Amino acid sequence: MNVVPDPKPGVMPVATPSLAGTVLSPEANQAAALATSTGVLTVDLDAIVANWRKLEKTAVPAECAGVVKANAYGCGVEPVGRALAAAGCKTFFVATLEEARALRAAVPPALIYVLDGFFQNAGEAYAKIDCKPVIGDLNELAEWDVFCRRSGWNGGAAIHIDTGMNRLGLTSAEAQGIIPRIKAGDHGIALVMSHLVSAEQLNSQLNAKQLTTFREIAGLFSGVPASLSNSSGVFLGAQFQFDMVRPGAALYGVNPTPEADNPMQPVVEVKARIVQIRNIERGETVGYGGTWTARRPTRLAIASAGYADGYFRAASANDGTRGADVVVAGKRCPVAGRISMDLMAVDVTDLPANAARRGHMVTLLGEGITVDELAHHFGTIGYEVLTSLGSRYARVYKGGAGPMERPAAPAASS
């Protein structure tokens, strides 16, 4: 086994000031940051906007909100929120108050709903940033009422009805029990909503059952806008769309119609740097456990990404199973051996000599490798792929308000 030196050794160019005190341009700063990064995650804000517009058009005349929880599915709540707001999105959903604070700072006019509910000590925090809790329990409703009476706050809330998920939400009987409140007026309920269990399955009987249940309950909430559909629900037809749809994963390129071609544009691209090229002989093994054996003299590119960066160990290859692919110099190349915490080996034997060199970037996500393909190799769903992408990548945003770059955080993973 031998390490192959770079055939043309040299120092990668880095933008540096020629004189002390010189201020670099944003482009030069970005070039300098990317030159020292072991990985780069690029988010296409224009693609997110295009996806939102497609969903909005599909749901007309319903309003199309934007779900930006979990840091906008790992894409960055501030830039994503600003891009969607500039495109015309007015209503947003997050999971926590902390996420709501970040979104409010980025998009001051936004109408924000917080999905994880209300606690009696959280009222002041809701009022301070003017966001609305999604209430799914009678105890929450009582605590919210107490806060509103004592404080005089009238910012409103959503009521979540459980129609089959058995996770959050009032039961049908509980929902019917608060109908007198609706008829009395001045009820403070801004939205009634539920959540689909199997929206991605077009022929699921659960879809029809939930639709019937929600339509009956929502009809009792006279004058209150209703919302049922998530990303996949948007494509189930007009009867599922009500007054508002709440797409999340589809905004970020995950296929909302897995039984058909993906109607969404890809959003995220991830690249990792080659830190070493090495040759091994036939019969040598690669990686922990020695589970992958070279069947020929093999050339390997060692890339600086692993499971600490959100590239799951499940994508590993062994002697009986092919793992995920990586794009190197425009060609798909297979992973060799187990994915490590910080590194992976890629078989580049079939590439032309010197096509892969130390310092070059390889593509882990993008160039035809979709988030859903990676999810298949990871044994999970696209949602988890996006929200697991690590914080060591330098993050670059293109489109939207213009290119931005955020240096990678020092933590190992998100």
Side-chain angles (χ1 to χ4, degrees):
M1 178 170 59
N2 65 297
V3 177
V4 181
D6 189 328
K8 295 181 180 179
V11 178
M12 181 173 297
V14 178
T16 54
S18 56
L19 297 172
T22 299
V23 177
L24 295 177
S25 68
E27 292 78 11
N29 269 316
Q30 177 169 297
L34 298 184
T36 59
S37 297
T38 57
V40 179
L41 187 156
T42 302
V43 177
D44 188 340
L45 296 173
D46 285 346
I48 292 176
V49 167
N51 289 339
W52 179 79
R53 285 178 172 153
K54 182 174 184 64
L55 291 157
E56 180 192 36
K57 184 177 180 180
T58 304
V60 167
E63 178 185 357
C64 186
V67 179
V68 293
K69 61 182 180 177
N71 196 29
Y73 287 60
C75 292
V77 68
E78 294 92 348
V80 170
R82 286 194 294 265
L84 287 174
C89 184
K90 296 179 174 59
T91 303
F92 295 83
F93 288 80
V94 296
T96 68
L97 265 171
E98 197 59 40
E99 293 176 351
R101 290 189 187 98
L103 179 61
R104 175 63 70 212
V107 189
L111 173 59
I112 304 173
Y113 286 94
V114 180
L115 292 163
D116 281 3
F118 184 85
F119 292 92
Q120 59 182 347
N121 296 325
E124 292 294 340
Y126 275 97
K128 184 176 181 180
I129 60 173
D130 188 21
C131 63
K132 304 179 189 302
V134 176
I135 292 174
D137 179 89
L138 290 179
N139 290 323
E140 291 178 53
L141 183 59
E143 292 166 356
W144 179 67
D145 281 340
V146 168
F147 169 73
C148 291
R149 284 197 303 269
R150 290 178 176 175
S151 67
W153 186 63
N154 59 357
I159 295 294
H160 186 166
I161 311 300
D162 178 26
T163 57
M165 180 71 79
N166 287 316
R167 189 177 61 177
L168 294 175
L170 275 65
T171 66
S172 295
E174 290 171 337
Q176 291 177 18
I178 65 173
I179 297 305
R181 173 195 185 119
I182 304 299
K183 294 179 178 179
D186 194 26
H187 47 73
I189 297 174
L191 182 72
V192 58
M193 58 179 282
S194 190
H195 194 63
L196 291 166
V197 175
S198 304
E200 71 282 359
Q201 300 173 20
L202 294 178
N203 297 317
S204 172
Q205 294 182 353
L206 279 173
N207 293 332
K209 182 178 180 181
Q210 286 190 271
L211 176 62
T212 298
T213 301
F214 184 68
R215 185 187 287 125
E216 292 173 354
I217 296 296
L220 300 176
F221 282 70
S222 178
V224 178
S227 177
L228 176 63
S229 289
N230 55 3
S231 291
S232 296
V234 172
F235 296 91
L236 290 177
Q239 69 271 30
F240 284 85
Q241 293 165 1
F242 290 88
D243 301 297
M244 179 189 292
V245 296
R246 312 186 307 273
L251 294 174
Y252 311 102
V254 175
N255 188 359
T257 57
E259 297 177 4
D261 292 340
N262 190 353
M264 301 292 106
Q265 293 186 21
V267 168
V268 176
E269 180 182 74
V270 178
K271 293 179 179 286
R273 198 176 300 281
I274 296 174
V275 295
Q276 194 173 99
I277 298 291
R278 58 195 306 120
N279 289 327
I280 63 172
E281 300 299 327
R282 182 178 183 275
E284 292 192 76
T285 63
V286 176
Y288 284 113
T291 57
W292 188 94
T293 307
R295 298 181 180 180
R296 58 179 177 173
T298 299
R299 185 176 177 86
L300 298 172
I302 311 301
S304 57
Y307 55 77
D309 304 292
Y311 199 91
F312 291 12
R313 193 168 180 265
S316 301
N318 58 47
D319 288 337
T321 305
R322 184 183 175 99
D325 285 342
V326 171
V327 176
V328 186
K331 302 290 185 182
R332 282 187 175 239
C333 299
V335 167
R338 287 183 181 168
I339 305 296
S340 303
M341 182 181 288
D342 316 300
L343 299 166
M344 66 173 67
V346 182
D347 184 348
V348 295
T349 310
D350 292 331
L351 295 181
N354 299 332
R357 293 168 49 192
R358 182 173 61 87
H360 286 182
M361 289 287 191
V362 303
T363 300
L364 311 181
L365 175 59
E367 295 191 64
I369 298 176
T370 68
V371 65
D372 295 292
E373 178 183 337
L374 268 192
H376 171 75
H377 285 292
F378 291 176
T380 184
I381 56 176
Y383 301 60
E384 188 175 12
V385 174
L386 292 177
T387 57
S388 297
L389 293 173
S391 59
R392 293 193 291 196
Y393 299 114
R395 277 165 164 77
V396 175
Y397 294 90
K398 64 180 184 179
M404 297 176 286
E405 187 274 331
R406 189 183 75 195
S413 63
S414 62

